[in-house]
Amino acid sequence: MSPRTASRFIASASVAALLALLTTAPLGGPVAAKSPPATYVVQGVPGVELDVLVDGDVVESGVAPREVVGPLDISPGSHTLAFRSPDWEVSKSVDVAGSQDVVVHWPADAADEPIVTVFSNDVSAIGSDKGRLTVAHTAVVPPADIQANGQTLFTNIANGEFISAEVPATTYRVAVVPTGGGKPLLGPVDLKIEAGALTRVFAIGAPRDASMDAVVQVLPLPTSGGGTPKSVDTGSAGLVNPDGSINLARQSVWALVAAVFGWWPAA
């Protein structure tokens, strides 16, 4: 039986809905080679309590929406993780290795059952003055652009995609607009990134039933001083340069800072 860990939440409903439109995708960044396996499960289905099963055995029961359970006490290798409600049960084969989150959530369309998505956590060392942000889109919302301090940072982000970046630790002013521009759908609001930590945001729910929300999980990281890291995995979604062109998924952090975060003044 695994222990339940306390998850961190965004109190404001507007912040939760905003973060629901920031996105990530399955199997995101690299995992530090020597990191012990640490598998967490995230209950991303609003309005219902779920049982969590590993290889057919219940390891947690009555898990509430937004709750993070783990790390699970399971051995490395292939396991079947399942989530069961009174009305349905969904499962996925998961290779337990490194640090990862197994999220049960609704897909983008009006499906009868939720789906299960696995996100890998990049827990490698980071500069002591920086934080690593990975935001997973597991909510029922259309694609959107994300703006930071009035500039477009991420574009055309959809359910099932991810974005991950290393950024100076501070508070950023962000907003969500329809893809291509227009009146903000949400925000702008403040998003704090902690130094020496991995901040993971999981968007859940759907606007159609006013269940939009978000879960925030913060994991400590080893630090490597304040030097510039060699690379950063920016996920499956595009980054936008000042000239409007889109960067490819894997970028050096220097290019990321020069092209994007130079827009963001320190708090």
Side-chain angles (χ1 to χ4, degrees), residues 113-130:
E113 295 181 351
I115 59 176
V116 180
T117 305
V118 179
F119 299 92
S120 291
N121 294 328
D122 181 356
V123 293
S124 58
I126 191 171
S128 60
D129 59 343
K130 294 180 173 63

mmCIF file with all atom_site columns, all heavy atoms in Angstrom, residues 113-130:
data_model
loop_
_atom_site.group_PDB
_atom_site.id
_atom_site.type_symbol
_atom_site.label_atom_id
_atom_site.label_alt_id
_atom_site.label_comp_id
_atom_site.label_asym_id
_atom_site.label_entity_id
_atom_site.label_seq_id
_atom_site.pdbx_PDB_ins_code
_atom_site.Cartn_x
_atom_site.Cartn_y
_atom_site.Cartn_z
_atom_site.occupancy
_atom_site.B_iso_or_equiv
_atom_site.pdbx_formal_charge
_atom_site.auth_seq_id
_atom_site.auth_comp_id
_atom_site.auth_asym_id
_atom_site.auth_atom_id
_atom_site.pdbx_PDB_model_num
ATOM 1   N N   . GLU A 1 113 ? -15.442 7.231  -21.577 1.00 0.00 ? 113 GLU A N   1
ATOM 2   C CA  . GLU A 1 113 ? -14.529 6.885  -20.507 1.00 0.00 ? 113 GLU A CA  1
ATOM 3   C C   . GLU A 1 113 ? -13.288 7.769  -20.566 1.00 0.00 ? 113 GLU A C   1
ATOM 4   O O   . GLU A 1 113 ? -12.883 8.216  -21.648 1.00 0.00 ? 113 GLU A O   1
ATOM 5   C CB  . GLU A 1 113 ? -14.101 5.414  -20.608 1.00 0.00 ? 113 GLU A CB  1
ATOM 6   C CG  . GLU A 1 113 ? -15.215 4.409  -20.407 1.00 0.00 ? 113 GLU A CG  1
ATOM 7   C CD  . GLU A 1 113 ? -14.714 2.978  -20.509 1.00 0.00 ? 113 GLU A CD  1
ATOM 8   O OE1 . GLU A 1 113 ? -13.533 2.806  -20.904 1.00 0.00 ? 113 GLU A OE1 1
ATOM 9   O OE2 . GLU A 1 113 ? -15.484 2.063  -20.188 1.00 0.00 ? 113 GLU A OE2 1
ATOM 10  N N   . PRO A 1 114 ? -12.658 8.007  -19.421 1.00 0.00 ? 114 PRO A N   1
ATOM 11  C CA  . PRO A 1 114 ? -11.381 8.729  -19.415 1.00 0.00 ? 114 PRO A CA  1
ATOM 12  C C   . PRO A 1 114 ? -10.282 7.894  -20.064 1.00 0.00 ? 114 PRO A C   1
ATOM 13  O O   . PRO A 1 114 ? -10.483 6.731  -20.423 1.00 0.00 ? 114 PRO A O   1
ATOM 14  C CB  . PRO A 1 114 ? -11.104 8.943  -17.922 1.00 0.00 ? 114 PRO A CB  1
ATOM 15  C CG  . PRO A 1 114 ? -12.416 8.753  -17.247 1.00 0.00 ? 114 PRO A CG  1
ATOM 16  C CD  . PRO A 1 114 ? -13.147 7.729  -18.066 1.00 0.00 ? 114 PRO A CD  1
ATOM 17  N N   . ILE A 1 115 ? -9.121  8.498  -20.188 1.00 0.00 ? 115 ILE A N   1
ATOM 18  C CA  . ILE A 1 115 ? -7.943  7.803  -20.692 1.00 0.00 ? 115 ILE A CA  1
ATOM 19  C C   . ILE A 1 115 ? -6.823  7.945  -19.670 1.00 0.00 ? 115 ILE A C   1
ATOM 20  O O   . ILE A 1 115 ? -6.925  8.725  -18.717 1.00 0.00 ? 115 ILE A O   1
ATOM 21  C CB  . ILE A 1 115 ? -7.489  8.358  -22.055 1.00 0.00 ? 115 ILE A CB  1
ATOM 22  C CG1 . ILE A 1 115 ? -7.168  9.859  -21.951 1.00 0.00 ? 115 ILE A CG1 1
ATOM 23  C CG2 . ILE A 1 115 ? -8.558  8.109  -23.118 1.00 0.00 ? 115 ILE A CG2 1
ATOM 24  C CD1 . ILE A 1 115 ? -6.612  10.459 -23.234 1.00 0.00 ? 115 ILE A CD1 1
ATOM 25  N N   . VAL A 1 116 ? -5.752  7.178  -19.860 1.00 0.00 ? 116 VAL A N   1
ATOM 26  C CA  . VAL A 1 116 ? -4.594  7.223  -18.966 1.00 0.00 ? 116 VAL A CA  1
ATOM 27  C C   . VAL A 1 116 ? -3.377  7.640  -19.778 1.00 0.00 ? 116 VAL A C   1
ATOM 28  O O   . VAL A 1 116 ? -3.098  7.070  -20.832 1.00 0.00 ? 116 VAL A O   1
ATOM 29  C CB  . VAL A 1 116 ? -4.344  5.861  -18.303 1.00 0.00 ? 116 VAL A CB  1
ATOM 30  C CG1 . VAL A 1 116 ? -3.119  5.929  -17.378 1.00 0.00 ? 116 VAL A CG1 1
ATOM 31  C CG2 . VAL A 1 116 ? -5.570  5.403  -17.518 1.00 0.00 ? 116 VAL A CG2 1
ATOM 32  N N   . THR A 1 117 ? -2.659  8.647  -19.292 1.00 0.00 ? 117 THR A N   1
ATOM 33  C CA  . THR A 1 117 ? -1.468  9.154  -19.981 1.00 0.00 ? 117 THR A CA  1
ATOM 34  C C   . THR A 1 117 ? -0.297  9.156  -19.016 1.00 0.00 ? 117 THR A C   1
ATOM 35  O O   . THR A 1 117 ? -0.455  9.491  -17.841 1.00 0.00 ? 117 THR A O   1
ATOM 36  C CB  . THR A 1 117 ? -1.700  10.580 -20.505 1.00 0.00 ? 117 THR A CB  1
ATOM 37  O OG1 . THR A 1 117 ? -2.865  10.606 -21.330 1.00 0.00 ? 117 THR A OG1 1
ATOM 38  C CG2 . THR A 1 117 ? -0.511  11.063 -21.314 1.00 0.00 ? 117 THR A CG2 1
ATOM 39  N N   . VAL A 1 118 ? 0.882   8.778  -19.516 1.00 0.00 ? 118 VAL A N   1
ATOM 40  C CA  . VAL A 1 118 ? 2.092   8.747  -18.699 1.00 0.00 ? 118 VAL A CA  1
ATOM 41  C C   . VAL A 1 118 ? 2.987   9.911  -19.097 1.00 0.00 ? 118 VAL A C   1
ATOM 42  O O   . VAL A 1 118 ? 3.254   10.142 -20.281 1.00 0.00 ? 118 VAL A O   1
ATOM 43  C CB  . VAL A 1 118 ? 2.852   7.420  -18.882 1.00 0.00 ? 118 VAL A CB  1
ATOM 44  C CG1 . VAL A 1 118 ? 4.130   7.417  -18.031 1.00 0.00 ? 118 VAL A CG1 1
ATOM 45  C CG2 . VAL A 1 118 ? 1.961   6.238  -18.524 1.00 0.00 ? 118 VAL A CG2 1
ATOM 46  N N   . PHE A 1 119 ? 3.452   10.655 -18.096 1.00 0.00 ? 119 PHE A N   1
ATOM 47  C CA  . PHE A 1 119 ? 4.359   11.775 -18.318 1.00 0.00 ? 119 PHE A CA  1
ATOM 48  C C   . PHE A 1 119 ? 5.653   11.510 -17.549 1.00 0.00 ? 119 PHE A C   1
ATOM 49  O O   . PHE A 1 119 ? 5.611   11.279 -16.343 1.00 0.00 ? 119 PHE A O   1
ATOM 50  C CB  . PHE A 1 119 ? 3.756   13.085 -17.824 1.00 0.00 ? 119 PHE A CB  1
ATOM 51  C CG  . PHE A 1 119 ? 2.481   13.478 -18.519 1.00 0.00 ? 119 PHE A CG  1
ATOM 52  C CD1 . PHE A 1 119 ? 1.253   13.088 -18.004 1.00 0.00 ? 119 PHE A CD1 1
ATOM 53  C CD2 . PHE A 1 119 ? 2.509   14.234 -19.671 1.00 0.00 ? 119 PHE A CD2 1
ATOM 54  C CE1 . PHE A 1 119 ? 0.076   13.455 -18.630 1.00 0.00 ? 119 PHE A CE1 1
ATOM 55  C CE2 . PHE A 1 119 ? 1.338   14.597 -20.312 1.00 0.00 ? 119 PHE A CE2 1
ATOM 56  C CZ  . PHE A 1 119 ? 0.113   14.208 -19.795 1.00 0.00 ? 119 PHE A CZ  1
ATOM 57  N N   . SER A 1 120 ? 6.794   11.554 -18.234 1.00 0.00 ? 120 SER A N   1
ATOM 58  C CA  . SER A 1 120 ? 8.082   11.386 -17.568 1.00 0.00 ? 120 SER A CA  1
ATOM 59  C C   . SER A 1 120 ? 8.532   12.702 -16.955 1.00 0.00 ? 120 SER A C   1
ATOM 60  O O   . SER A 1 120 ? 8.332   13.771 -17.546 1.00 0.00 ? 120 SER A O   1
ATOM 61  C CB  . SER A 1 120 ? 9.143   10.894 -18.553 1.00 0.00 ? 120 SER A CB  1
ATOM 62  O OG  . SER A 1 120 ? 8.877   9.580  -18.953 1.00 0.00 ? 120 SER A OG  1
ATOM 63  N N   . ASN A 1 121 ? 9.135   12.631 -15.784 1.00 0.00 ? 121 ASN A N   1
ATOM 64  C CA  . ASN A 1 121 ? 9.638   13.818 -15.092 1.00 0.00 ? 121 ASN A CA  1
ATOM 65  C C   . ASN A 1 121 ? 11.132  13.958 -15.310 1.00 0.00 ? 121 ASN A C   1
ATOM 66  O O   . ASN A 1 121 ? 11.893  13.017 -15.051 1.00 0.00 ? 121 ASN A O   1
ATOM 67  C CB  . ASN A 1 121 ? 9.357   13.722 -13.591 1.00 0.00 ? 121 ASN A CB  1
ATOM 68  C CG  . ASN A 1 121 ? 7.880   13.760 -13.275 1.00 0.00 ? 121 ASN A CG  1
ATOM 69  O OD1 . ASN A 1 121 ? 7.107   14.409 -13.978 1.00 0.00 ? 121 ASN A OD1 1
ATOM 70  N ND2 . ASN A 1 121 ? 7.486   13.072 -12.220 1.00 0.00 ? 121 ASN A ND2 1
ATOM 71  N N   . ASP A 1 122 ? 11.565  15.107 -15.770 1.00 0.00 ? 122 ASP A N   1
ATOM 72  C CA  . ASP A 1 122 ? 12.990  15.403 -15.876 1.00 0.00 ? 122 ASP A CA  1
ATOM 73  C C   . ASP A 1 122 ? 13.474  15.869 -14.504 1.00 0.00 ? 122 ASP A C   1
ATOM 74  O O   . ASP A 1 122 ? 13.221  16.998 -14.101 1.00 0.00 ? 122 ASP A O   1
ATOM 75  C CB  . ASP A 1 122 ? 13.204  16.492 -16.931 1.00 0.00 ? 122 ASP A CB  1
ATOM 76  C CG  . ASP A 1 122 ? 14.684  16.840 -17.116 1.00 0.00 ? 122 ASP A CG  1
ATOM 77  O OD1 . ASP A 1 122 ? 15.525  16.296 -16.368 1.00 0.00 ? 122 ASP A OD1 1
ATOM 78  O OD2 . ASP A 1 122 ? 14.983  17.656 -18.006 1.00 0.00 ? 122 ASP A OD2 1
ATOM 79  N N   . VAL A 1 123 ? 14.155  14.979 -13.792 1.00 0.00 ? 123 VAL A N   1
ATOM 80  C CA  . VAL A 1 123 ? 14.632  15.291 -12.446 1.00 0.00 ? 123 VAL A CA  1
ATOM 81  C C   . VAL A 1 123 ? 16.144  15.463 -12.414 1.00 0.00 ? 123 VAL A C   1
ATOM 82  O O   . VAL A 1 123 ? 16.773  15.308 -11.374 1.00 0.00 ? 123 VAL A O   1
ATOM 83  C CB  . VAL A 1 123 ? 14.167  14.224 -11.429 1.00 0.00 ? 123 VAL A CB  1
ATOM 84  C CG1 . VAL A 1 123 ? 12.658  14.266 -11.263 1.00 0.00 ? 123 VAL A CG1 1
ATOM 85  C CG2 . VAL A 1 123 ? 14.607  12.823 -11.855 1.00 0.00 ? 123 VAL A CG2 1
ATOM 86  N N   . SER A 1 124 ? 16.733  15.788 -13.561 1.00 0.00 ? 124 SER A N   1
ATOM 87  C CA  . SER A 1 124 ? 18.167  16.055 -13.608 1.00 0.00 ? 124 SER A CA  1
ATOM 88  C C   . SER A 1 124 ? 18.469  17.392 -12.928 1.00 0.00 ? 124 SER A C   1
ATOM 89  O O   . SER A 1 124 ? 17.577  18.185 -12.635 1.00 0.00 ? 124 SER A O   1
ATOM 90  C CB  . SER A 1 124 ? 18.644  16.085 -15.060 1.00 0.00 ? 124 SER A CB  1
ATOM 91  O OG  . SER A 1 124 ? 17.946  17.076 -15.801 1.00 0.00 ? 124 SER A OG  1
ATOM 92  N N   . ALA A 1 125 ? 19.747  17.629 -12.670 1.00 0.00 ? 125 ALA A N   1
ATOM 93  C CA  . ALA A 1 125 ? 20.167  18.839 -11.952 1.00 0.00 ? 125 ALA A CA  1
ATOM 94  C C   . ALA A 1 125 ? 19.813  20.090 -12.730 1.00 0.00 ? 125 ALA A C   1
ATOM 95  O O   . ALA A 1 125 ? 19.761  20.093 -13.963 1.00 0.00 ? 125 ALA A O   1
ATOM 96  C CB  . ALA A 1 125 ? 21.666  18.787 -11.679 1.00 0.00 ? 125 ALA A CB  1
ATOM 97  N N   . ILE A 1 126 ? 19.599  21.166 -11.984 1.00 0.00 ? 126 ILE A N   1
ATOM 98  C CA  . ILE A 1 126 ? 19.228  22.448 -12.575 1.00 0.00 ? 126 ILE A CA  1
ATOM 99  C C   . ILE A 1 126 ? 19.992  23.547 -11.864 1.00 0.00 ? 126 ILE A C   1
ATOM 100 O O   . ILE A 1 126 ? 20.407  23.379 -10.710 1.00 0.00 ? 126 ILE A O   1
ATOM 101 C CB  . ILE A 1 126 ? 17.701  22.661 -12.463 1.00 0.00 ? 126 ILE A CB  1
ATOM 102 C CG1 . ILE A 1 126 ? 17.250  23.852 -13.312 1.00 0.00 ? 126 ILE A CG1 1
ATOM 103 C CG2 . ILE A 1 126 ? 17.288  22.854 -11.000 1.00 0.00 ? 126 ILE A CG2 1
ATOM 104 C CD1 . ILE A 1 126 ? 15.749  23.985 -13.406 1.00 0.00 ? 126 ILE A CD1 1
ATOM 105 N N   . GLY A 1 127 ? 20.210  24.665 -12.537 1.00 0.00 ? 127 GLY A N   1
ATOM 106 C CA  . GLY A 1 127 ? 20.875  25.793 -11.904 1.00 0.00 ? 127 GLY A CA  1
ATOM 107 C C   . GLY A 1 127 ? 20.129  26.243 -10.660 1.00 0.00 ? 127 GLY A C   1
ATOM 108 O O   . GLY A 1 127 ? 18.892  26.227 -10.626 1.00 0.00 ? 127 GLY A O   1
ATOM 109 N N   . SER A 1 128 ? 20.859  26.674 -9.652  1.00 0.00 ? 128 SER A N   1
ATOM 110 C CA  . SER A 1 128 ? 20.240  27.003 -8.360  1.00 0.00 ? 128 SER A CA  1
ATOM 111 C C   . SER A 1 128 ? 19.302  28.193 -8.437  1.00 0.00 ? 128 SER A C   1
ATOM 112 O O   . SER A 1 128 ? 18.479  28.387 -7.533  1.00 0.00 ? 128 SER A O   1
ATOM 113 C CB  . SER A 1 128 ? 21.329  27.268 -7.317  1.00 0.00 ? 128 SER A CB  1
ATOM 114 O OG  . SER A 1 128 ? 22.151  28.353 -7.726  1.00 0.00 ? 128 SER A OG  1
ATOM 115 N N   . ASP A 1 129 ? 19.421  29.006 -9.488  1.00 0.00 ? 129 ASP A N   1
ATOM 116 C CA  . ASP A 1 129 ? 18.550  30.169 -9.621  1.00 0.00 ? 129 ASP A CA  1
ATOM 117 C C   . ASP A 1 129 ? 17.420  29.928 -10.623 1.00 0.00 ? 129 ASP A C   1
ATOM 118 O O   . ASP A 1 129 ? 16.706  30.857 -10.984 1.00 0.00 ? 129 ASP A O   1
ATOM 119 C CB  . ASP A 1 129 ? 19.359  31.390 -10.051 1.00 0.00 ? 129 ASP A CB  1
ATOM 120 C CG  . ASP A 1 129 ? 20.073  31.187 -11.388 1.00 0.00 ? 129 ASP A CG  1
ATOM 121 O OD1 . ASP A 1 129 ? 20.215  30.014 -11.818 1.00 0.00 ? 129 ASP A OD1 1
ATOM 122 O OD2 . ASP A 1 129 ? 20.491  32.190 -11.998 1.00 0.00 ? 129 ASP A OD2 1
ATOM 123 N N   . LYS A 1 130 ? 17.259  28.682 -11.042 1.00 0.00 ? 130 LYS A N   1
ATOM 124 C CA  . LYS A 1 130 ? 16.253  28.377 -12.061 1.00 0.00 ? 130 LYS A CA  1
ATOM 125 C C   . LYS A 1 130 ? 15.256  27.343 -11.554 1.00 0.00 ? 130 LYS A C   1
ATOM 126 O O   . LYS A 1 130 ? 15.513  26.616 -10.587 1.00 0.00 ? 130 LYS A O   1
ATOM 127 C CB  . LYS A 1 130 ? 16.914  27.871 -13.345 1.00 0.00 ? 130 LYS A CB  1
ATOM 128 C CG  . LYS A 1 130 ? 17.760  28.911 -14.059 1.00 0.00 ? 130 LYS A CG  1
ATOM 129 C CD  . LYS A 1 130 ? 18.372  28.341 -15.320 1.00 0.00 ? 130 LYS A CD  1
ATOM 130 C CE  . LYS A 1 130 ? 19.065  29.446 -16.110 1.00 0.00 ? 130 LYS A CE  1
ATOM 131 N NZ  . LYS A 1 130 ? 20.189  30.041 -15.351 1.00 0.00 ? 130 LYS A NZ  1
#
